[in-house]
Amino acid sequence: MTSPIIEFQNVKKQFGELALFENFNFSVEEGEIVSIIGSSGSGKSTLLRILMTLEDIDGGVVRVKGEPLWHMSKGDRLVPADKKHLRKMRNHMGMVFQHFNLFPHMTARRNITEAPMRVKGKSRQEAEREAMDLLALVGLQDKADSYPAQLSGGQKQRVGIARALAMRPEILLLDEITSALDPELVDEVLDVIRNLAKEHSFTMLLVTHEMYFAREISDRVCFFDQGRILEEGPPDKIFVAPEKERTQAFLNAFISA
Amino acid sequence: MELSELTPILLQGAWITLKILCLSLPVAGALAFIAGLTRLFAPTPLRQMARVYIEFFRGTSALIQLYWIYFVLPFFGLNLDAMTASVIALGLNIGAYGAEVVRGSVLAVPKGQYEAAVALNFTPWSRLWRIILPQSLINMIPPFGNLAIELMKATSLVSLITIGDLTYKAKTLADATLQVGEIFGLVLLIYFVMAQAMAFLFRWLEARLGRGLDRGGLRS
Ligand SMILES: Nc1ncnc2c1ncn2[C@@H]1O[C@H](COP(=O)(O)OP(=O)(O)O)[C@@H](O)[C@H]1O
Ligand SMILES: [Mg+2]
């Protein structure tokens, strides 16, 4: 077996008085699709945000592709990462946000081309060609010149996905990407992810409340409870025969909802 | 004196007022951005300096600031003519208020914008110039318009360091002719017209910038 692409080793994360993660261990294999479920406040977003370098850690080590994310090796010691190291490591990850966070002053196309041009130094021509391919992938070729305010929620989120993909991340982080959408718009977004999942060309870590979707596309499901992974396994086990009482209660609440 | 004699003299003064206004506005604007952004993003010592500048110039009298620059700095070997001293003093004073406008508008951009920019691995510089500032600019314009009018009103202080601006001309004319009613009435009118012109200019600017941004959904 190869070494994991993501590895949390004894990670500690604290928000003031709240010790959210303590001795937190977690790993993801390359190409694996992992769904994270659990009630609100259990630390699902924080896990993704630590990986996206939006939240730092208070102890332990996070490794991405074997390299410490929040640290740098100095001799045989690990010292806190500097900005340069973080910028290098960020290239491995891309994130899609619950509230899209599209840049409102840019067209859909510019939202997608801006980072490849400014960050990766691609030519405008190349970046725009790739943007059009990505817009086609998410079914929005005809919206290239629309501003976010002119798009529906589902369309915004598909641009959000295209924008993240444009940076060619190896790890895609999806944080409740359909939670802010009207029910009838959820499927058009999930379809895009479904297609990406089929190819298994990314490692995907997704926080979701869409249980059927999670069951369908995941290799593994993790149930989060108060900053711990209470139970994890293949979707057929977690959704059909969960062992822990809290997992059962959580899933039952979903079915009856 | 007839109104037709008073008016040209006052307009001469108004011309000087306008000149000082036009020179100190860019100074104030530049200082507002420099100090506002420094206060937000620079390393701690610089940030503290920006903070001291902002607090000091907002917290003391503009007239005393002007006196310092014109009357006291020469003792430290810095001799400025009255015009330069006025432009610097007014620019520093209004720039300090403007810095707070810049800071507030930048902070008002939703946090998610910053996070998306980090996730896309933009440099801190690009985050600011490409993502945050374009969105905050539109919010700065109305308060900047108010400050520009404050600046115009504050120009009357320069009459106290012998510049022949509108206020100075009015004062000397009134002393000579004792026609205080007509003179100060006219002066009020001229200041008012200038203020209206500036208010109009800034509304136009806001509408123009807003036109692109309406489509961008920055304003509802
Ligand atoms: N920036 C923050 N400051 C303080 N507390 C936070 C912050 N972010 C998250 N938390 C707290 O950490 C816990 C986990 O949050 P989060 O990871 O967002 O949970 P989830 O995504 O599972 O709903 C919650 O109790 C939340 O209030
Ligand atoms: Mg969350």
Side-chain angles (χ1 to χ4, degrees):
Chain A
M1 215 168 88
T2 55
S3 65
I5 189 166
I6 299 171
E7 225 177 341
F8 282 62
Q9 297 168 327
N10 297 320
V11 168
K12 181 174 174 187
K13 175 67 192 173
Q14 220 156 339
F15 287 115
E17 296 286 280
L18 172 77
L20 181 60
F21 296 142
E22 239 159 338
N23 287 317
F24 182 86
N25 292 291
F26 175 65
S27 65
V28 177
E29 299 300 319
E30 190 164 349
E32 198 179 12
I33 298 176
V34 179
S35 288
I36 296 166
I37 61 173
S39 45
S40 162
S42 56
K44 308 180 298 295
S45 293
T46 304
L47 178 79
L48 298 199
R49 290 167 57 78
I50 287 172
L51 280 167
M52 196 62 256
T53 69
L54 296 171
E55 291 286 354
D56 60 3
I57 55 175
D58 301 304
V61 182
V62 177
R63 284 176 197 279
V64 171
K65 302 188 78 173
E67 213 176 332
L69 177 65
W70 280 103
H71 298 86
M72 305 184 292
S73 307
K74 191 174 184 183
D76 50 4
R77 283 187 318 135
L78 289 180
V79 297
D82 60 14
K83 287 183 175 147
K84 200 169 143 224
H85 179 77
L86 289 176
R87 283 205 77 216
K88 185 187 97 185
M89 295 302 288
R90 258 181 223 132
N91 272 325
H92 300 306
M93 272 83 63
M95 186 158 183
V96 183
F97 298 88
Q98 178 176 357
H99 297 288
F100 330 126
N101 300 356
L102 294 184
F103 305 130
H105 56 304
M106 297 179 184
T107 61
R109 188 205 325 256
R110 268 290 292 288
N111 263 278
I112 300 170
T113 57
E114 192 70 5
M117 283 167 56
R118 306 268 164 228
V119 179
K120 296 220 156 155
K122 287 195 176 161
S123 70
R124 174 175 298 275
Q125 217 183 7
E126 190 185 0
E128 294 202 340
R129 193 168 34 75
E130 290 182 4
M132 290 316 287
D133 289 346
L134 286 166
L135 282 169
L137 182 79
V138 300
L140 289 174
Q141 306 93 302
D142 55 331
K143 296 290 182 190
D145 295 314
S146 301
Y147 283 85
Q150 298 167 310
L151 301 174
S152 73
Q155 292 170 334
K156 279 185 208 164
Q157 194 56 297
R158 286 185 278 155
V159 173
I161 294 168
R163 181 176 72 172
L165 293 179
M167 292 297 277
R168 311 207 170 281
E170 296 144 87
I171 300 167
L172 197 55
L173 307 168
L174 309 163
D175 191 2
E176 296 198 34
I177 62 168
T178 57
S179 294
L181 299 180
D182 292 335
E184 72 271 18
L185 301 177
V186 167
D187 273 329
E188 65 184 53
V189 172
L190 293 187
D191 278 341
V192 171
I193 303 300
R194 245 180 221 114
N195 287 332
L196 289 177
K198 255 183 235 151
E199 296 171 15
H200 266 265
S201 46
F202 303 96
T203 304
M204 272 201 243
L205 212 52
L206 52 122
V207 173
T208 185
H209 290 301
E210 302 287 336
M211 296 304 158
Y212 290 99
F213 179 70
R215 183 170 178 183
E216 175 193 337
I217 72 157
S218 312
D219 301 313
R220 175 161 53 116
V221 177
C222 299
F223 175 65
F224 263 57
D225 186 58
Q226 297 176 5
R228 287 167 306 151
I229 299 175
L230 191 68
E231 186 167 2
E232 63 178 319
D236 284 337
K237 171 175 170 279
I238 299 293
F239 288 116
V240 179
E243 282 169 12
K244 296 281 193 328
E245 220 168 284
R246 291 186 73 104
T247 319
Q248 288 164 13
F250 175 79
L251 291 171
N252 283 339
F254 257 91
I255 291 162
S256 55
Chain B
M1 276 170 91
E2 296 291 316
L3 217 55
S4 59
E5 292 170 285
L6 291 175
T7 311
I9 300 177
L10 290 178
L11 284 180
Q12 274 176 12
W15 173 244
I16 302 288
T17 293
L18 204 63
K19 221 163 93 180
I20 294 176
L21 176 65
C22 290
L23 289 171
S24 42
L25 260 182
V27 175
L31 282 169
F33 275 94
I34 293 169
L37 295 177
T38 302
R39 170 124 199 236
L40 278 173
F41 300 114
T44 314
L46 282 175
R47 200 180 324 191
Q48 288 302 336
M49 275 168 58
R51 198 191 142 119
V52 168
Y53 157 64
I54 293 166
E55 298 298 331
F56 183 79
F57 277 87
R58 291 195 323 156
T60 57
S61 142
L63 180 60
I64 306 301
Q65 291 162 18
L66 180 63
Y67 280 172
W68 253 86
I69 290 171
Y70 188 59
F71 294 123
V72 183
L73 286 188
F75 288 111
F76 298 93
L78 194 58
N79 275 295
L80 300 170
D81 63 82
M83 193 72 175
T84 311
S86 299
V87 167
I88 291 177
L90 293 170
L92 280 167
N93 183 264
I94 299 295
Y97 288 92
E100 288 294 90
V101 169
V102 169
R103 193 169 80 101
S105 308
V106 165
L107 289 176
V109 174
K111 205 158 154 273
Q113 293 292 308
Y114 163 83
E115 296 186 345
V118 171
L120 290 165
N121 217 354
F122 284 106
T123 59
W125 189 252
S126 300
R127 271 179 231 155
L128 183 63
W129 285 101
R130 305 270 158 201
I131 311 298
I132 305 296
L133 273 186
Q135 295 183 58
S136 46
L137 216 50
I138 185 92
N139 297 326
M140 293 181 199
I141 290 177
F144 270 167
N146 289 335
L147 284 180
I149 291 173
E150 288 300 321
L151 176 56
M152 188 218 51
K153 292 190 289 187
T155 55
S156 67
L157 296 177
V158 306
S159 65
L160 296 167
I161 59 167
T162 70
I163 291 184
D165 76 324
L166 180 55
T167 299
Y168 182 90
K169 287 277 199 276
K171 189 98 192 339
T172 43
L173 270 183
D175 285 346
T177 65
L178 300 179
Q179 291 169 287
V180 284
E182 289 116 303
I183 292 170
F184 288 122
L186 256 176
V187 168
L188 276 186
L189 187 70
I190 297 175
Y191 274 123
F192 182 71
V193 168
M194 289 202 286
Q196 286 301 301
M198 282 209 297
F200 176 82
L201 189 79
F202 275 86
R203 275 200 300 273
W204 175 81
L205 205 65
E206 189 192 1
R208 221 192 107 101
L209 202 69
R211 213 181 307 142
L213 298 179
D214 277 338
R215 289 199 303 154
L218 283 186
R219 299 190 314 165
S220 37

